[in-house]
Amino acid sequence: MTDAVTVPVSERAAMLRRPWSLQARLMATVIGIVALILVGSAVAIGAGVGDALSKSLNANLEATTRQLQLFEPGPMQNVRDADDVLSTGRQTAGYLLLVDSPFDGVSAAVVDEDLDVTPLTAAQTAALTRDAAGRGLSTVTVQGLGSYRVTPFKAGTVTGIAGLPLSELESTIAEILTTILLVTIGGLLLLGVAVALVIRRSLAPLRAVADTATRVAALPLAEGDVTIAERVPAEEADDRTEIGRVGAALNTLLDHVGTSLTARQRNEERMRAFVADASHELRTPLASIRGYSELSLRGIRQSRETTGESRALAEATAQNTEQALERIQAQSLRMTALVEDLLLLARLDEGKELVYGAVDLTRLAVESVTDARAAGPDHAWALEVDDAPVVVAGDASRLHQVSANLLANARVHTPPGTHVTMSVTVEEGSAVLRVQDDGPGIDPAIAGGLFERFARADVSRARQTGGTGLGLSIAKAIVEAHHGTITVDSRPGSTTFEVRLPARPADPAA
């Protein structure tokens, strides 16, 4: 049996707890802060209003107490009891009075809600005397009457206690706090709705970014032919806002990724085509070498078996063997040339294989046209150069390879009788070599990839219509290694290859 893994309850709860969204956190933070502010304000307002009402009650109590008529009119000034004092005065409802006279004893009464005077019971009087004795302005609870703010007073030999009920003050404070609470709750609800709408609208671009990123993440980017059409909507990618800049940045990133994927796909297709083309080009000479090798071996075996027979058969066998070896040599040379071309491209890509020196393009053009005239007598060849030499810094043999390749291209891909002109000039500090012909032009379908490796107009790859398809790619690599450019402009009746190289003054001592 396998041991069960026990996960603590707290850890399970943490794993199952769903994290808060950004909108929920923002709403909780804003509403929480505002709620704290409102509660703090309510407490402060309640305390302030309660203190003000308490001071007003105290002042009213003291003013009313000073106006009490404790003595009867006349020379004797007899002390009046509490209910008599309250009956002859104009006291507010709830007013309480206790009078303690050394001759008449203690009396206490209160004005009820109907403004009638009601004596206090002995227990209420005793409790009031006990709770308020020896204290100044204070709050006491009178059984059956509630809380009172009381103050002691003294007039001659008479002492007493006067008080006003706190019920009205407490009711006012409760009403204020209730109003504040209701306003706070309503305000928080309104604030919650407003904040939710504002945050939801403000975070809409961020949600669009997240949705777009999620859709892009679901794409099979590892597959070959993948295009990323997903983008953040334009209205959610306004770079004038912070979140909008995130959407705009994601769109830019997706553009770059899409471009990279397209380039990767194109490179993979080129690599597959390169491998297929290289395999095709190498397969023919290898098959020839194998066939002629087998033929040679068969001839040698037959020669051994026919020893002593007719001399003519032996000579025929030797002749066949010699021809087979010649074909093997020819195919080996062809395969060697292809491998050397591939090796040259690899070295040029690494920035190697060039031996720099002073190269006279004028002389190079003369030699190249002379060679092309001998190789293609059925074409009309022309040369346009100035008397002054045009000198560049470069590898003479490689630049000769470029010019020879351009002329051979014009010879192979144009019909007999085509006029081919090579010119050398200096324009704006650059040496310009052009090869122009009036042939049928280049097929627009292949013009864009003309300088790619193994690019050929004849997809059947027949040997009579051209070479391996590496010539123009090698020419481009050589020119770019010399910090130059090679371009083509073709239309029916005129095709011009232009090579531009940095020119340098001719050496007078050369």
Side-chain angles (χ1 to χ4, degrees), residues 236-275:
E236 307 294 354
D238 188 354
D239 57 5
R240 294 174 298 178
T241 63
E242 294 82 353
I243 301 180
R245 284 200 296 270
V246 176
L250 179 60
N251 283 346
T252 303
L253 175 62
L254 292 178
D255 291 338
H256 293 332
V257 172
T259 303
S260 300
L261 289 175
T262 302
R264 185 193 70 178
Q265 177 66 17
R266 186 167 56 249
N267 290 337
E268 290 179 353
E269 292 174 354
R270 290 176 180 173
M271 182 59 67
R272 286 193 293 267
F274 175 82
V275 172

Side-chain angles (χ1 to χ4, degrees), residues 19 119 121 260 320 330 374 469:
T121 64
S260 300
N320 291 336

